[in-house]
Amino acid sequence: MNVLFSDPASCCGCGACAAVCPSGALQMTADAEGFLYPTLSPQLCLDCGRCRTCCPLQAEDYARAAKAEAFFLVKHCAPAVLSASTSGGAFTALSDAVLARGGTVYGAVFDKALRVHHTRAVTAAERDAMRISKYVQSDLSSVYQPLREDLRQGKPVLFSGTPCQNAAIRCSCADLPQKAREQLFLCDIICHSVPSPLFWEDYQQLLAAEAGAPLVWARFRGKDIPWSRANSNRGFAYRVAGENAIRKDDRFYRLYLSGLPARPSCYCCPYTDLRRSGDVTIADYWGLEEQDPASYDPRGVSLLLVNTAQGAMLLQTASSWLLRQQRPAAEALAAQQRLREPLARPNQRAAFWQDYQMHGLAYCFAHYLPPKMC
Ligand SMILES: Cc1cc2nc3c(=O)[nH]c(=O)nc-3n(C[C@H](O)[C@H](O)[C@H](O)COP(=O)(O)OP(=O)(O)OC[C@H]3O[C@@H](n4cnc5c(N)ncnc54)[C@H](O)[C@@H]3O)c2cc1C
């Protein structure tokens, strides 16, 4: 088996190449850091070139849709949605707009083993499982075919994910008729970086070993404490089998923010400016406490960027569920580092992964965990 791309930084792990391969010559397999990469079975390859044409990192201008044109502060009208969402519930309003038209929604969920993958929702209850940011790379492999099929049938589709995932969906649908593509609404998030699924799996095992029972539930950020950037690393909560009590631990998120467990392609991510892959972009409206204390809400506020006419139409349709206010671009640019530059590759990254492989996660927590944020 050959690795399709020799430089790990030139693959974002979206799996579009494997999904479109007509002969099954490409399989996504995890490397020693736990990130998925395509591996090629040369005897099955037809040399059709489909894998390269749908690769977002090889596409013209990285399959970015357009430059962000309008910047909004948005907040869902329903308090229950604010409590159940990461920031201001923008995703719920956008997805309700698509579900109300008989459409389908694609987003990231936990499976029973708390692995993160993308799936399809046709009801609000199924969509609700997609809420809450899961700070781990989500596996997209099972959604390419059903999403294309939904578009072929003329259904409106909302896809929500990281910028590279949105670009992958755009590329993999480029061969569909225009009428079908007009039903596709892409929503990317401003993305700090994606850490390895192995890191997440090992963290669960560490917590389970410490608690003496496996994890049955986890939430990366909750609203039991006021929503704010300073509190964002205090919200990781989990429950173990046989207990109702919620436990807390911040080691995962603190190490995530250090950038050490990030995917190599995150350090040169092309989607870290105002040229976005989604029709809309959502994020936390960080910095609002200082910029406009009167608009700050401890239950959460979203930033929403409208990047295309398709995005403007989506926001318009979702407006009955949202309070919204147009804001200056400078606020988002000041507060969001990932609208200005990619994550810097930490000097210690190679040493971190060497130690991780030799000594495991507990050792890395002891030696690489940054000090607590105050
Ligand atoms: C890996 C990651 C990095 C992020 N980095 C930043 C950042 O630097 N700055 C910032 O302001 N915001 C960041 N966010 C986005 C932020 O945390 C919220 O998701 C966003 O504000 C939307 O809030 P909401 O209340 O509308 O969403 P929710 O209702 O909470 O919905 C969350 C949405 O995110 C999607 N999602 C969740 N986990 C994943 C995943 N692992 N992969 C792909 N999609 C996922 C879901 O499909 C859903 O659509 C990040 C999110 C993730 C998952």
Side-chain angles (χ1 to χ4, degrees):
M1 297 274 255
N2 296 324
V3 174
L4 188 62
F5 303 100
S6 53
D7 176 8
S10 64
C11 172
C12 63
C14 65
C17 53
V20 302
C21 177
S23 62
L26 287 168
Q27 299 294 327
M28 297 302 286
T29 43
D31 73 348
E33 295 178 356
F35 293 109
L36 294 176
Y37 290 91
T39 50
L40 176 71
S41 302
Q43 72 281 11
L44 296 178
C45 178
L46 306 174
D47 207 15
C48 65
R50 278 282 283 139
C51 51
R52 291 187 191 281
T53 56
C54 72
C55 172
L57 297 190
Q58 296 190 33
E60 193 182 334
D61 198 26
Y62 302 107
R64 287 179 286 214
K67 200 169 168 191
E69 277 169 4
F71 297 73
F72 291 90
L73 169 167
V74 301
K75 201 170 70 172
H76 204 284
C77 298
V81 174
L82 289 181
S83 325
S85 306
T86 309
S87 57
F91 166 68
T92 297
L94 299 173
S95 49
D96 272 336
V98 170
L99 291 174
R101 290 176 50 209
T104 59
V105 175
Y106 290 82
V109 295
F110 284 126
D111 69 9
K112 284 206 176 98
L114 298 181
R115 284 181 298 250
V116 181
H117 69 107
H118 264 64
T119 190
R120 174 179 187 264
V122 291
T123 63
E126 289 169 347
R127 179 280 319 279
D128 289 353
M130 296 170 180
R131 287 175 179 154
I132 298 299
S133 296
K134 295 128 194 122
Y135 293 99
V136 61
Q137 184 159 38
S138 167
D139 184 348
L140 268 198
S141 51
S142 66
V143 303
Y144 288 98
Q145 295 312 329
L147 189 150
R148 282 172 64 86
E149 196 45 41
D150 283 342
L151 291 175
R152 271 204 207 95
Q153 288 176 15
K155 290 185 184 148
V157 168
L158 176 75
F159 175 85
S160 154
T162 62
C164 53
Q165 291 175 334
N166 275 271
I169 294 294
R170 193 179 290 284
C171 290
S172 67
C173 293
D175 62 330
L176 291 176
Q178 189 179 344
K179 211 167 159 18
R181 279 185 284 127
E182 280 169 5
Q183 294 299 320
L184 178 61
F185 296 89
L186 292 174
C187 170
D188 69 326
I189 50 182
I190 296 179
C191 181
H192 174 280
S193 64
V194 284
S196 140
L198 175 67
F199 169 44
W200 169 230
E201 214 177 287
D202 287 346
Y203 179 59
Q204 286 180 61
Q205 279 178 16
L206 189 72
L207 293 175
E210 288 168 358
L215 262 66
V216 290
W217 175 89
R219 183 168 165 149
F220 286 82
R221 283 171 54 192
K223 294 279 176 69
D224 52 329
I225 47 174
W227 167 87
S228 75
R229 190 203 285 268
N231 279 344
S232 66
N233 70 334
R234 300 201 177 101
F236 181 82
Y238 65 101
R239 200 155 45 77
V240 296
E243 272 186 28
N244 289 326
I246 306 269
R247 297 164 181 250
K248 291 234 173 176
D249 188 291
D250 64 1
R251 288 171 291 178
F252 182 90
Y253 199 81
R254 278 162 63 204
L255 201 54
Y256 162 63
L257 288 182
S258 76
L260 287 165
R263 190 176 177 100
S265 58
C266 296
Y267 307 119
C268 49
C269 175
Y271 311 102
T272 49
D273 59 21
L274 293 182
R275 290 167 304 150
R276 311 300 306 169
S277 58
D279 297 300
V280 293
T281 300
I282 55 173
D284 292 277
Y285 209 116
W286 293 143
L288 200 57
E289 305 96 297
E290 299 90 51
Q291 282 153 352
D292 180 2
S295 299
Y296 169 75
D297 187 330
R299 298 169 305 170
V301 182
S302 291
L303 166 69
L304 189 148
L305 278 52
V306 172
N307 311 322
T308 63
Q310 184 85 339
M313 188 162 66
L314 178 62
L315 177 58
Q316 188 54 40
T317 324
S319 285
S320 52
W321 288 280
L322 285 173
L323 299 170
R324 65 173 177 162
Q325 199 188 103
Q326 193 154 0
R327 306 286 295 194
E331 286 183 353
L333 280 165
Q336 294 287 350
Q337 201 178 2
R338 288 302 155 267
L339 286 181
R340 305 190 305 267
E341 59 190 358
L343 175 71
R345 188 185 177 97
N347 293 335
Q348 289 180 300
R349 190 183 191 280
F352 167 80
W353 279 107
Q354 209 172 2
D355 281 339
Y356 193 106
Q357 278 144 28
M358 281 179 68
H359 307 294
L361 181 57
Y363 178 94
C364 287
F365 276 147
H367 290 83
Y368 293 92
L369 201 61
K372 273 184 191 289
M373 295 197 295
C374 42

